[in-house]
Amino acid sequence: MTQELSERQARRLFANARYLFDIACMAYDRTEGSLDSAPLLQKALHAATTVLLRVRGIMPGDYEQNAREAQRINADSKFLEGDIGARLVELAELAVWEPGADDGPAGRARSERYGEIFRWSPDWMQTVARCVRRRQGSSAPVFESDGWRVPLRAFLVTRVGLMLLVYLGLRFVPVSKPPWSAFPHNALLDGWVRWDAAWYYSVVVRGYDLLQSGNAPNVIFFPLYPVLSSIVSVPLSLFTTDDTAYYLAALAISHLSFLFALAGVHRLTTLLESRDVAHRATWLVALFPFSYIFSAAYPESLFLALCVWTFALAIENRWRWAGALASLAAVTQQPGLILAPALMLLYRRTPAKARPSAASLLAIAAAAPLVLIAYFVRRYGDPVVFIHQYFAGWHGAWGLQHWEGVGRFFAGDPPLSQGLPHMWNLALVPATLVVLVAVYRKYGAAFGVVSTVPFLVAVAVTLGGYGRMIAVTFPLFVWLAWRLRARPAYLVVCGLFGLTQAMFACLFSHWGVTGGP
């Protein structure tokens, strides 16, 4: 049986419930009576809270009346999912039972049900409070302490663990004959500057030069991440070389962005589901096998932070801030171009009184990508030059041609260090498809679209980067956290994710640097 609340905890719970009653009343008054479910919030919250208080003998005496009124109001209300009236009937039955009154099978069954109420009621009250905030148009501060504890813990555990693991891997198994190294004498940082990290630096050093330098065109790498890294590196360059300063700044931005991304995942999931689901979603994102990329000098962590906070702020009716972040995400990575349409889909589901005009929101969300596209048109005469040059300059393939190349890759008996990540990517494709369908059904088109575009791009163009692209599709992790309600299954998934991520991080740190200035 779940441990009973202390008298102090029960009184605090009741005080919090009364505070929520006040919020409901204010929401009712400010909308001039249009918030029809405010009485339901008051009565249902009071009923759930008094059940917990009754165990301690400090329950107000109007529980039965409140329960009946809540049932009557809920009969005509669609404010919350599920049959609240039926739940309140169960609460009323359990409230009259005293622990230890019956030690037989019936008593044990009631004990289990009573324990379930203890677990369920606080979570339900959070859900009701979330719905009140959404209806009222108010929200918690961005730096609310409760929303940062779990993200900070997940960040520190996973990032410190990965840094130490990569450090030990490079010390005991050094990279043989690296073509170039960002931190040749610092194994703690050097393993995180690999592959495309130097390509992003080339955007700062030589701009978008297409084929003029003799290298592959770097126009496929969007500018926000390297530009931010370059700006942050300015004071660092006073103490070290320009190259080292840039990569130090890039790694700092990646880690700070990932912390904000985890906080955004936690906040968004709390808005959509509950705090318990938010805890699980945060850890699932941090432990996902390909989440090691969020520690590298790559833009994925910045992109994830911008995307998830776009949705969180939109749900909290901070539409202009959401539009600004969507605009920045669109010039961070190519899949970010879908954020403006996705935001408009979410906009259509919001009551007209709680949102700005569609034209102003779309203008904000499309501002940065339109500037970038205008630059491409002016310089190259091609608004989607980054797509054309991927296939022309990088000899990329898509569709059947791409999958023929995948088949040749596996037929060539690749080394385990390259074949294993590709096998994981291949296995993730059908699993992702199943979760995508579930995301559409549960969270709607806006969340489905923002997840589908990276999935389709990865499947059609780059299976090798599939895991990296799926790592930023936060709705998949929100749904998975909601689905993994059984603690054993959740722990098994976390363990599998964490071990695989550790292995992939070590493999990543031993690959070479490509491209660059």
Side-chain angles (χ1 to χ4, degrees), residues 51-227:
V51 170
L52 300 178
L53 296 177
R54 188 159 191 161
V55 178
R56 310 303 303 177
I58 55 176
M59 184 200 75
D62 56 351
Y63 165 75
E64 288 79 6
Q65 179 183 356
N66 284 334
R68 286 194 299 271
E69 292 183 10
Q71 284 181 266
R72 178 179 56 80
I73 296 171
N74 186 62
D76 300 324
S77 174
K78 303 298 182 183
F79 187 69
L80 295 176
E81 295 182 1
D83 187 357
I84 298 175
R87 177 63 79 175
L88 290 173
V89 170
E90 183 180 12
L91 287 170
E93 295 175 353
L94 293 174
V96 301
W97 172 73
E98 295 294 335
D102 185 354
D103 294 330
R108 287 192 295 272
R110 278 198 156 189
S111 176
E112 292 176 359
R113 292 170 64 204
Y114 202 79
E116 180 185 355
I117 296 303
F118 271 94
R119 291 190 297 270
W120 166 80
S121 295
D123 182 68
W124 184 54
M125 283 189 281
Q126 290 174 11
T127 303
V128 175
R130 180 181 71 244
C131 293
V132 174
R133 288 202 305 269
R134 191 181 305 175
R135 285 292 186 92
Q136 191 179 356
S138 62
S139 55
V142 171
F143 291 98
E144 184 183 24
S145 60
D146 289 343
W148 285 80
R149 291 193 184 99
V150 172
L152 182 59
R153 192 178 303 127
F155 173 82
L156 290 176
V157 169
T158 58
R159 299 309 104 176
V160 172
L162 288 176
M163 293 285 283
L164 291 176
L165 188 65
V166 168
Y167 169 77
L168 293 174
L170 289 177
R171 287 298 301 269
F172 290 103
V173 187
V175 177
S176 59
K177 297 181 180 179
W180 174 84
S181 177
F183 303 98
H185 305 296
N186 191 333
L188 190 65
L189 299 178
D190 186 58
W192 299 106
V193 182
R194 293 290 184 265
W195 279 54
D196 292 341
W199 278 110
Y200 283 100
Y201 184 38
S202 75
V203 174
V204 175
V205 174
R206 53 186 172 91
Y208 288 134
D209 60 355
L210 286 184
L211 296 173
Q212 296 173 10
S213 65
N215 295 327
N218 62 357
V219 73
I220 69 171
F221 300 97
F222 273 22
L224 182 62
Y225 178 77
V227 168

Side-chain angles (χ1 to χ4, degrees), residues 290 300 335 453-455 457-459 462 465-473:
F290 294 92
E300 270 75 6
V453 169
F455 168 77
V457 171
V459 168
T462 172
Y466 182 86
R468 214 174 82 196
M469 301 192 73
I470 294 302
V472 301
T473 52

Side-chain angles (χ1 to χ4, degrees), residues 40 66 84 90 103 148 183-184 236 239 243 271 303 344 356 361 390 403 422 484 513:
L40 168 64
N66 284 334
I84 298 175
E90 183 180 12
D103 294 330
W148 285 80
F183 303 98
L236 298 177
F239 308 99
D243 291 6
L271 292 169
F303 181 68
M344 298 311 296
L361 178 62
Y390 174 78
W403 281 92
H422 279 74
L484 291 174
V513 178

Side-chain angles (χ1 to χ4, degrees), residues 31 133-138 313-323 341-362 364:
T31 55
R133 288 202 305 269
R134 191 181 305 175
R135 285 292 186 92
Q136 191 179 356
S138 62
L313 294 176
I315 290 176
E316 293 178 343
N317 293 325
R318 300 180 181 183
W319 288 102
R320 290 180 177 84
W321 281 105
L343 192 61
M344 298 311 296
L345 289 174
L346 198 62
Y347 173 89
R348 293 180 59 187
R349 297 175 56 187
T350 307
K353 290 184 179 180
R355 64 189 189 187
S357 67
S360 63
L361 178 62
L362 187 59
I364 295 172

